[in-house]
Amino acid sequence: MWNTASIDHKPLLAVTSGEPAGVGPELCVRLAARDWPMRPVVLGDADLIAARAAASGQKLRVREFAPDEPAQSGVLDVLHCPLVVAAQPGRLDPANAAYVLSLLDRAIAGCRSGEFAGMVTAPVHKGVINEAGVPFSGHTEYLAEQTGTARVVMMLIGGGLRVALATTHLPLSAVSAAITPAVLEDTLRILHRDLAARFGLAAPRILVAGLNPHAGEGGHMGREEIDVIVPVLERLRAEGMQLLGPLPADTMFVPHTLQQGDAVLAMYHDQGLPVLKYASFGGGVNVTLGLPIVRTSVDHGTALDLAGSGRADPGSLFAAVELAAQMARACSAHP
């Protein structure tokens, strides 16, 4: 349970403003225009965020967050974390990689202590963090490492779909070897558990994709279904899980099949996410399942070409804040 809330009794959500050269800071500015079920606190450099607000024509006041001050319309609460070097819209600088990671670390610490009910992340740029000499493959993997979580599951939500991934940021040539019986079983257990605990689905129904075209065509197009996927599904079905598959990925997303499930498990990143992003881009949400904390994120990148223009769409960030609040309430009701 959370041990900190604002004076208006709303639990707090940490919102990391992400890559300072990208659209994250100006998207966070837009949070001040709405009343939220939980109070968002933006983590970032207060001067940077104020400057992006001014540049985008947003009329608001940026103030240092204090839990004893009530939320106000037109006022953005910022937990100040200073930049390493000044940031220019659209111009990446590896010197600020440490700043970006410090936002994540502060949000994680606040969630684990109960200060925050959950965290929402604006986009970061993986390449510039790696250029700074820090191995970084994404938020999902970083959050798992920092919380000591052995396995997490990436799931995107939008357009009426929930799509989880058995593998995430891997080259396609490495996917087959990465889908082991242990990985697949752990992924399905985490997905099943969190659909129940964080989304209120008492008996989740999961559609499971095959890896190969036509789900292997009886072994003629690959044996991963026969050797790995089917045995795992049979074992978990025997425990009572409702699992349909392995299904050919090219027909899994037709309406008739989707009606039979509450979520889809795709075997790799570009098997499931193109469909979801086609259905919901700009309004989808990335969720990390399996963590001891609630974490949601936007479904898009840093959009360096839009940074500083004021034209970036805040729809995905707004959806991520709403979903984080819903998940946090569910976790509080069923710890």
Side-chain angles (χ1 to χ4, degrees), residues 6-294:
S6 52
I7 195 172
D8 46 16
H9 305 297
K10 286 186 175 182
L12 307 175
L13 287 175
V15 182
T16 60
S17 53
E19 167 54 50
V23 295
E26 61 205 74
L27 292 177
C28 290
V29 162
R30 305 284 288 277
L31 295 172
R34 287 181 52 175
D35 183 32
W36 298 97
M38 291 187 176
R39 183 174 175 181
V41 178
V42 175
L43 278 59
D45 186 288
D47 293 334
L48 167 72
I49 293 168
R52 292 294 175 83
S56 60
Q58 300 296 313
K59 296 181 179 179
L60 58 86
R61 180 165 65 91
V62 173
R63 71 178 178 187
E64 180 76 19
F65 168 68
D68 57 353
E69 294 184 12
Q72 295 180 25
S73 178
V75 175
L76 187 70
D77 289 309
V78 176
L79 199 164
H80 178 61
C81 303
L83 284 163
V84 177
V85 297
Q88 299 294 324
R91 297 180 60 182
L92 296 169
D93 191 330
N96 276 323
Y99 161 80
V100 172
L101 296 178
S102 76
L103 305 183
L104 297 177
D105 293 342
R106 178 64 180 84
I108 292 167
C111 288
R112 302 205 76 177
S113 71
E115 178 185 8
F116 300 122
M119 63 184 287
V120 180
T121 57
V124 300
H125 194 284
K126 301 179 187 69
V128 77
I129 296 173
N130 280 279
E131 285 177 24
V134 180
F136 185 86
S137 56
H139 274 118
T140 301
E141 296 83 356
Y142 187 81
L143 290 166
E145 180 181 354
Q146 296 303 111
T147 58
T149 306
R151 192 174 307 284
V152 295
V153 175
M154 177 189 288
M155 181 169 75
L156 272 78
I157 299 175
L161 302 172
R162 299 184 184 99
V163 179
L165 302 177
T167 62
T168 53
H169 301 117
L170 290 177
L172 191 56
S173 60
V175 168
S176 178
I179 302 173
T180 65
V183 165
L184 185 57
E185 180 173 333
D186 287 350
T187 299
L188 282 164
R189 289 189 186 280
I190 291 167
L191 178 57
H192 185 272
R193 182 192 69 210
D194 278 8
L195 286 171
R198 300 191 173 189
F199 292 87
L201 299 169
R205 301 167 302 159
I206 301 171
L207 309 178
V208 181
L211 174 66
N212 297 295
H214 302 178
E217 195 79 64
H220 296 289
M221 294 188 184
R223 292 194 54 86
E224 287 86 352
E225 288 77 13
I226 294 170
D227 295 340
V228 178
I229 300 176
V230 169
V232 170
L233 298 188
E234 290 179 346
R235 185 160 58 251
L236 296 180
R237 286 190 192 111
E239 297 180 10
M241 288 192 193
Q242 298 186 64
L243 307 171
L244 183 62
L247 300 170
D250 62 343
T251 56
M252 184 171 59
F253 290 96
V254 300
H256 172 72
T257 304
L258 288 174
Q259 290 170 5
Q260 301 176 59
D262 300 300
V264 168
L265 178 65
M267 291 296 110
Y268 57 94
H269 189 281
D270 283 10
Q271 184 184 56
L273 297 194
V275 177
L276 183 136
K277 292 194 175 186
Y278 175 79
S280 66
F281 194 73
V285 181
N286 186 343
V287 181
T288 307
L289 305 178
L291 293 171
I293 61 177
V294 168

